[in-house]
Amino acid sequence: MPAVPRTATISRLGAAVGAQGIFTDPADLEPYINDWRGIYRGGAAAVVRPATVEQVAAVVKICAETQTPVVPQGGNTGMCGATVPNAGDNPVVIAMGRMNRIRNVDPLNNTMTVEAGCVLANIQTAAAEAERLFPLSLGGEGSCQIGGNLSTNAGGVNVLRYGNTRDLVLGLEAVLPDGRIWNGLRSLRKDNTGYDLKHLFIGAEGTLGIITAAVLKLFPRPSSNATAWMAVPSPDAALQLFSLLRQQFGDRITAFELLSRACLQLVLKHIPGTRDPLADSHPWYVLTELGDGSPGDALRSELEGALERAMEKQLVLDAALAENKGQSKAFWHIRESIPEAARDEPGMLYRHDIAVAVGQIPAFIRDGQAALEQRFKDTRIICFGHLGDGNLHYNTYVEGRLRSDAAAREAHDVTTVIYDIVQRYQGSFSAEHGIGMAKVEELKRYKNPVEIDLMRMVKRALDPQGIMNPGKVL
Ligand code: FAD
Ligand code: ZN
C-alpha cells in the first residue's frame, strides 16, 4: 500500500518544479479532481505542473522514492474517469499543460515534434501553417492535449482515412515510473530494432509512465473539401450508402458519421445557435466529409452527382451540401456537440462506446433496441458515431431515472444488456474511450483472461510499485 505523502514530500516536489509549478490549496485543486462528465470526484495531496521533461522526471523520482501515487492529467476531457485521483490514495496529479511547446516541424519528413501538453487544436494549426495536415480531430480538440490523445489512443472523426492516434506517431519520449527518461523521439518510418516500445505507452491511460513528447506524422493538406449532411431512411440504407460512396471515392472519404434524430434534437435543445440543416425531420442522418487535391468545385460536383444517384436508389431522402467552409463547420458543430448536449440533458445517461464489424452495425442497433425495450420501460437511445469505423456511441436514457447512486448501480443492468450483445458480435465494449475507472469490471468480465494476464505482466514489469495511476485499467 503506497504511503500517504507527507509535508516533506510536498516540499521536495515544490523544490523540483518551483513555486509556480505546484499547488495544494483545495480551491486550486478543484478542476483537477473532477471529470468532464461531472460523474466522478476524487481528491489529491497536490497538483504539480512541470515545465520540462527533466522536471517531470524529478517529480516522478520523488514519488517513486516515497511511494506516492501519480495521476497524469492532460486536458481532463476523458470519458472514463481515468484522470480522477482516488482521494484515499492521497496522490499527486501531474498536469502536463505547461509542457506545450511545438519543438519542431519538418515539412520534408512530414513530421512534427510536440510536447505532451500541446492542445490538439494548436497542433492542427501549426501543421496547417506549414501547409500540412495533422488529421486527428475530435469534439474536445480545443482543450484535450496530445499526451491525453496518445494515452487514450483517441479515435475521432478521421479514423476512416488516417487511423487512430496510434497510427499517427513515429516516436515518443516518456518518463518511466522510476523517474528515468526514455528518449524514443525518432522520426523514422522504418525501424525494426526490437520491440516497438512506444505502443506500450499509447493507450495505457497513464498506467505505465508519463508521455512527455512525441513525433507525429503529417500529411498533405487536401486543397479541396466537400461536406454533405444527408437524411437516410435507416442504418441499413446508411451502410449501403457508405459502400456506394466508398466504391466511387475510395480514401477520399475522410469521415462517415451516423446519427439519429434523437441526437439532433438534443443538440438543437441544448446548444445555442444550432439549427436543423434540412426542412423536414427524418429518422437518421449521415454526415460525410471528402477531401482531395482536385481544382475548384470538382469534388463537390462529383459528390453532388453521387448523391443524386443515391437518392434515385432511395438511400438518401434529402441532403444539404455545404456551400462554403462556414456551412461545413455548422454541420460538424452539430455532430461534435452531441456529447455536450447529452451531458446537459437531465436524467441518467448510460454511455456505451462499442465497435463491431462495419457490416454488423444495423443489426447491432436493432438488437440493442429490442433488448433494451424488452427489459426497461421507456428507453431513449442516443445513437451516433463513426459508422465507417464500425464504432457507435450507443447511449441510452431510461426515462424517469435521475442521477443518483441507485441509478448508478442500475447502470450495471443496462450496460450488461448492451455489452452481452457486443460480446455475441465479437465486438469491443470500449472502442475509443478506454477503461479508466469506469470499465474496470467490464475488462475483467469481457476480456480474454490470457490478455489480462499479459497486461498485468507488463504493468508489473514497468511499474512494480504500482504508483502510476492506480485503480485505472487493471
Ligand atoms: P485526459 O482526459 O486528461 O487524460 C486521459 C487519460 O490519459 C488519463 O488516463 C490520463 O491519466 C492519461 N494522460 C493524460 N496525459 C498523459 C500523459 N502526458 N502521459 C501519460 N498519461 C496521460 N475520444 C475519442 O477517442 N474520439 C472522439 O471522437 C472523442 N470525442 C470527444 C468529444 C468531446 C466533446 C469530449 C469532451 C471528449 C471526447 N473524446 C473522444 C474523449 C477523448 O479521450 C479525449 O477528448 C482526449 O483524447 C483525451 O485527452 P485529454 O488531454 O483530455 O486527456
Ligand atoms: Zn467518438
Side-chain angles (χ1 to χ4, degrees):
M1 195 59 199
V4 172
R6 294 151 301 177
T7 321
T9 307
I10 303 290
S11 61
R12 279 181 73 192
L13 291 172
V17 291
Q20 79 278 33
I22 185 164
F23 36 86
T24 52
D25 193 82
D28 295 333
L29 299 182
E30 204 56 28
Y32 300 88
I33 60 171
N34 294 290
D35 78 323
W36 184 86
R37 290 161 63 193
I39 294 194
Y40 298 104
R41 184 177 167 73
V47 171
V48 177
R49 300 183 72 237
T52 62
V53 60
E54 290 76 18
Q55 286 189 359
V56 177
V59 166
V60 175
K61 199 154 185 290
I62 294 165
C63 290
E65 282 168 12
T66 54
Q67 293 182 299
T68 304
V70 168
V71 181
Q73 203 173 97
N76 201 12
T77 66
M79 295 286 190
C80 293
T83 53
V84 180
N86 179 359
D89 293 345
N90 215 8
V92 166
V93 172
I94 301 191
M96 296 299 290
R98 282 175 80 205
M99 283 197 66
N100 59 3
R101 277 188 322 129
I102 291 175
R103 289 187 190 165
N104 164 262
V105 181
D106 182 347
L108 204 61
N109 198 43
N110 275 311
T111 50
M112 70 197 293
T113 307
V114 301
E115 293 184 345
C118 286
V119 169
L120 175 56
N122 296 342
I123 292 176
Q124 294 165 343
T125 304
E129 281 165 2
E131 290 179 30
R132 295 291 182 274
L133 172 76
F134 182 63
L136 181 64
S137 174
L138 47 93
E141 65 197 21
S143 44
C144 65
Q145 299 172 5
I146 192 69
N149 302 141
L150 287 159
S151 300
T152 55
N153 184 28
V157 293
N158 290 331
V159 172
L160 188 57
R161 163 74 179 84
Y162 297 99
N164 293 291
T165 307
R166 187 185 294 287
D167 304 302
L168 304 174
V169 186
L170 292 178
L172 216 62
E173 177 187 82
V175 169
L176 307 182
D178 60 9
R180 277 182 302 163
I181 298 170
W182 168 54
N183 186 339
L185 282 179
R186 288 179 282 268
S187 311
L188 307 175
R189 283 187 166 71
K190 292 190 166 181
D191 177 21
N192 285 340
T193 53
Y195 304 147
D196 197 342
L197 297 172
K198 63 179 178 284
H199 289 300
L200 279 179
F201 299 93
I202 300 171
E205 300 182 53
T207 60
L208 298 180
I210 300 192
I211 296 172
T212 48
V215 180
L216 305 175
K217 287 187 199 169
L218 300 178
F219 295 82
R221 254 192 116 59
S223 55
S224 212
N225 286 90
T227 317
W229 177 277
M230 297 163 279
V232 296
S234 62
D236 289 281
L239 186 64
Q240 285 180 56
L241 176 67
F242 176 57
S243 168
L244 194 84
L245 294 182
R246 205 56 173 158
Q247 186 73 19
Q248 179 171 348
F249 293 97
D251 262 357
R252 290 184 294 162
I253 307 183
T254 56
F256 194 91
E257 301 280 307
L258 177 74
L259 60 142
S260 68
R261 176 79 193 165
C263 300
L264 177 61
Q265 279 169 328
L266 267 190
V267 170
L268 298 177
K269 178 173 167 192
H270 291 288
I271 308 295
T274 49
R275 60 181 198 88
D276 190 336
L278 301 173
D280 298 321
S281 77
H282 298 277
W284 292 92
Y285 301 94
V286 165
L287 175 59
T288 194
E289 177 86 20
L290 275 62
D292 70 9
S294 61
D297 262 358
L299 183 62
R300 190 175 180 277
S301 304
E302 200 182 336
L303 179 58
E304 198 168 6
L307 292 190
E308 276 164 21
R309 286 189 294 283
M311 279 173 134
E312 281 160 21
K313 292 185 189 239
Q314 312 210 319
L315 297 179
V316 172
L317 303 170
D318 195 3
L321 258 175
E323 284 178 14
N324 49 46
K325 276 215 168 80
Q327 228 172 49
S328 165
K329 262 193 169 162
F331 295 168
W332 276 107
H333 184 52
I334 295 174
R335 163 64 187 85
E336 285 170 350
S337 300
I338 300 170
E340 196 181 324
R343 182 189 64 176
D344 294 347
E345 175 80 350
M348 183 75 191
L349 181 67
Y350 305 93
R351 286 178 196 256
H352 312 104
D353 161 37
I354 67 95
V356 295
V358 173
Q360 293 177 325
I361 288 272
F364 178 86
I365 292 175
R366 273 195 300 276
D367 285 2
Q369 184 163 2
L372 287 173
E373 280 171 1
Q374 192 190 15
R375 184 81 192 270
F376 305 95
K377 260 203 319 185
D378 292 336
T379 52
R380 179 166 41 130
I381 298 167
I382 307 295
C383 170
F384 64 99
H386 320 287
L387 185 141
D389 310 326
N391 171 202
L392 283 181
H393 301 302
Y394 197 82
N395 301 340
T396 311
Y397 287 100
V398 179
E399 302 297 354
R401 284 193 201 175
L402 294 175
R403 264 176 218 177
S404 67
D405 287 348
R409 280 192 296 277
E410 285 161 354
H412 180 72
D413 300 343
V414 181
T415 51
T416 303
V417 167
I418 297 299
Y419 292 158
D420 284 355
I421 301 173
V422 172
Q423 178 91 332
R424 245 185 19 241
Y425 278 72
Q426 295 182 304
S428 169
F429 67 88
S430 189
E432 286 194 313
H433 296 160
I435 303 298
M437 69 162 93
K439 296 181 189 170
V440 172
E441 287 309 311
E442 281 81 3
L443 189 87
K444 282 188 207 143
R445 181 177 163 127
Y446 295 106
K447 190 110 176 158
N448 175 322
V450 177
E451 282 174 297
I452 294 186
D453 213 31
L454 286 171
M455 284 168 64
R456 289 214 171 101
M457 287 161 72
V458 171
K459 170 76 175 166
R460 270 197 300 270
L462 268 78
D463 180 21
Q465 297 199 98
I467 61 165
M468 290 302 309
N469 214 358
K472 316 294 164 50
V473 184
L474 284 168

